[in-house]
Amino acid sequence: MHLTNSSPTITARDRHLLRHAALAVCCAGLFAALAALVQTGWGPLARFDRELTGDLHRYAADHTVWTASVQMFSDIGGTITMRAVLGVVALWLWLIGARTLAGWVAAQTLIGWGGQWVLKLSFGRHRPAFSDPVAHADGPAFPSGHAMASAITCAVLVGLLWPRARRAGRTTACTTGALTLLAIGASRVFLGVHWTTDVLAGWLAAGIVLGAVTVLVELARPGALARDFRRVDWRTRPRVQRVLVSSARPPRDTDLSDDRPDDRPDERSDDTPAEAPDTPAAGPAADPVPDRPDGLLR
């Protein structure tokens, strides 16, 4: 009896789907647990929120110059700015032909914005209240819209840079993104317009959106995201590098017999059989740029 290995092969696309599905499921579970603790008013968590927010508010009230700087940073990193950045990125991707990737970015932006307000209105948590507030914000508190929008934006930008960057570039991008979303989240608590748990909930909600949207796009258009990432990689290479790669492509219609001068005598003897004409190699010619999108060298 002949035994064969019948175990299924896990492809790179399958691993990609599993990672993002796990991200969405884990963040959804943690968000549900945090929301339940907040809604039931669990003592240790409520006390942590009150004490930390109160301490930061007292510091902000005593240091007005520092508070003004934090307020300006919070305004710059607000939800409108983050959505505008992703909108510009989506438009650029659309113009260079990466249509699926552009739709992915746009979906992250729109679903994140809509999901934020659905959650806010569902929980209806009140913001911190002080007799001498240093900042004001409207709407329900849970989850933080600033935290959610900044996490989605930083994750999308890092994801777009990841395939093209080397280890140092990836480390720099991840560090910059993490510090940005931490600073924006901390600024909302420092200004007294959010509880700490609001910011944590915003980050978890962003993870749900990032993972779920990616899984849905992959299921709707299998492999399209990977092809668009290769298209972006090719279109953003330095032009000199693209010209060198293009010139390295062997000519397809060159007749090698034309290289011999017409007046040069034929060196073959009469009894030497004539060589058969060159036959094209079986299969397509090797492409100097593996997996590049079609038509980008033209």
Side-chain angles (χ1 to χ4, degrees), residues 96-133:
I96 67 172
R99 305 294 171 82
T100 302
L101 199 54
W104 175 75
V105 174
Q108 298 284 3
T109 307
L110 297 176
I111 295 177
W113 175 75
Q116 161 199 322
W117 280 105
V118 168
L119 293 172
K120 280 179 175 290
L121 296 175
S122 299
F123 291 101
R125 189 185 192 186
H126 296 292
R127 295 179 182 269
F130 300 98
S131 58
D132 54 342

Side-chain angles (χ1 to χ4, degrees), residues 56 60 66-67 69-75 77-78 134-135 144 146-147 180-194 199 203:
L56 290 176
W66 171 252
T67 303
S69 302
V70 174
Q71 179 68 68
M72 182 177 65
F73 175 77
S74 180
D75 293 339
V134 298
S144 168
H146 280 63
T180 299
L181 64 92
L182 285 172
I184 292 176
S187 70
R188 304 305 288 168
V189 181
F190 181 84
L191 294 172
V193 294
H194 273 295
V199 174
W203 292 337

